Amino acid sequence: MDILTVEHLTKIYGQGDAATHALTDVSFSIADGEFCAIVGSSGSGKSTLLHLMGGVDRPTSGTVYLNGQDIYARSDEQLAVFRRREVGLVYQFYNLIPVLNVVENITLPVALDGRPINQERLSRLLHTLGLEGRETALPNQLSGGQQQRVAIGRALMNAPSVVLADEPTGNLDSRNSREIMALLRASNKEMGQTLVVITHDEDIAATADRVIAIEDGRIARDERIRR
């Protein structure tokens, strides 16, 4: 069953002679529980695509359906709630709140919703992410790899329908990169999270169930990986 559907997505920045077509008529669907890697050179449009899929930006035309619902039928306020509850976003730059500790950063989406924290899920995440014993540490007391683990925990805390990761290992060394991808893969396999990862790393793409290549704002290749 498809959980995410992109239909005729186009994004144009600027107008007239200054217009830049970041995406042009992009369409595809992602199945529930799938791990999809989106690859392409810098400026190909892959990050723009991820932001549109996550409701971070609005398209010039076309739409995105998550669980059968048009995400852009929502107001900006409703989109903000949608992102907190339905989409787990992980970026290359960790985007942690400097004055919040590990637990506070992980549970921030829940706190913003004014809902009680699922302590069982929090404990499981802290264990899985290897952050037990670091619960009260601030971001500046953590390594880059640990900060990215916190960012992943924040993305998973609300058990979102889909996790979207934009170059999640871009700032990490090879060992930390392998560990972060292993954690994301575990969330995909063990927690059933649908996972979409933007990457330029061929080794990461090779671990996905499916690879979509973007060139000049269009889909150049869409293939499933056979193992």
Side-chain angles (χ1 to χ4, degrees), residues 96 102 105-106 131 142 146-155:
L96 302 181
V102 166
N105 266 291
I106 288 176
L131 291 170
L142 303 173
Q146 288 172 327
Q147 289 185 64
Q148 190 62 298
R149 289 167 184 263
V150 175
I152 291 171
R154 182 180 57 194

Side-chain angles (χ1 to χ4, degrees), residues 199-218:
T199 184
H200 64 274
D201 189 322
E202 293 183 3
D203 290 337
I204 290 175
T207 67
D209 303 320
R210 177 182 177 191
V211 177
I212 296 175
I214 303 291
E215 292 181 9
D216 299 322
R218 298 177 182 271

Side-chain angles (χ1 to χ4, degrees), residues 55-108:
V56 177
D57 196 5
R58 291 181 181 270
T60 303
S61 61
T63 195
V64 174
Y65 295 93
L66 183 65
N67 289 319
Q69 296 187 7
D70 180 354
I71 71 171
Y72 293 109
R74 296 171 167 87
S75 66
D76 289 345
E77 292 78 10
Q78 289 170 330
L79 264 179
V81 174
F82 160 79
R83 288 193 298 270
R84 284 201 303 268
R85 296 180 179 177
E86 300 295 334
V87 179
L89 290 163
V90 181
Y91 293 103
Q92 176 179 351
F93 302 100
Y94 321 120
N95 292 342
L96 302 181
I97 307 300
V99 297
L100 300 184
N101 64 32
V102 166
V103 167
E104 291 166 338
N105 266 291
I106 288 176
T107 59
L108 183 60

Side-chain angles (χ1 to χ4, degrees), residues 119-140:
Q119 294 294 336
E120 182 179 351
R121 185 170 183 82
L122 174 61
S123 295
R124 181 183 177 191
L125 282 172
L126 288 169
H127 175 74
T128 301
L129 295 167
L131 291 170
E132 290 174 315
R134 304 294 286 161
E135 290 90 344
T136 61
L138 296 173
N140 64 5

